Amino acid sequence: WAVGLSGTILKWDGSTWTAQTSGSIEYLRGVWGSDASNIWAVGDFGTILKWNGTSWTAQTSGTSQSLNGLWGAGSSTIWAVGASGVIVKWNGSTWSSDGGPLQSLFGVWGSDASNLWVVGEAGAILNANYDSPIRTYTDPRMEMSCRLPGSPT
């Protein structure tokens, strides 16, 4: 899968790229999937689209900030990150705000649902550990940290 300007989504079938109908005109900045029927794309103005194996549908992100990247531990545990430090999390049925720093975030990756790494502007490298009820985001390069209350839902 590849995404881009004006809601562009392309699907690779092993030999050819095929344009998909996204239903969006927004700049799409990231794409991630857990399997052939669970693919998500994120982009400007909080755009989140989900592929169900047949078509793309818009989802409510709860933010108007641009979303730049996403990663998931599975089809029911996904994080998307973006402008102004927005972090939203998919729990299998809804997207909700998951806190974050003030600087814009560009990418997210994890080793599993308990350990996330997020990168952002000004060289920010953040680690989120979801094993405890208090989530801690740290930036060792900038020697700063922020503790966010919440539960790992």
Side-chain angles (χ1 to χ4, degrees), residues 22-63:
S22 72
S24 176
I25 61 168
E26 303 305 338
Y27 184 170
L28 300 175
R29 298 174 178 273
V31 63
W32 179 87
S34 61
D35 58 63
S37 296
N38 289 287
I39 311 289
W40 285 263
V42 297
D44 286 359
F45 304 105
T47 299
I48 299 179
L49 305 173
K50 182 183 183 295
W51 173 258
N52 63 10
T54 306
S55 62
W56 289 94
T57 56
Q59 295 191 323
T60 302
S61 67
T63 184

Side-chain angles (χ1 to χ4, degrees), residues 79 87 89 98 113-116 128-132 135 137 152:
W79 291 266
I87 299 174
K89 183 180 178 189
D98 209 27
S114 296
N115 295 289
L116 299 180
N129 182 327
Y130 279 82
D131 285 335
S132 75
R135 294 183 296 264
Y137 294 84

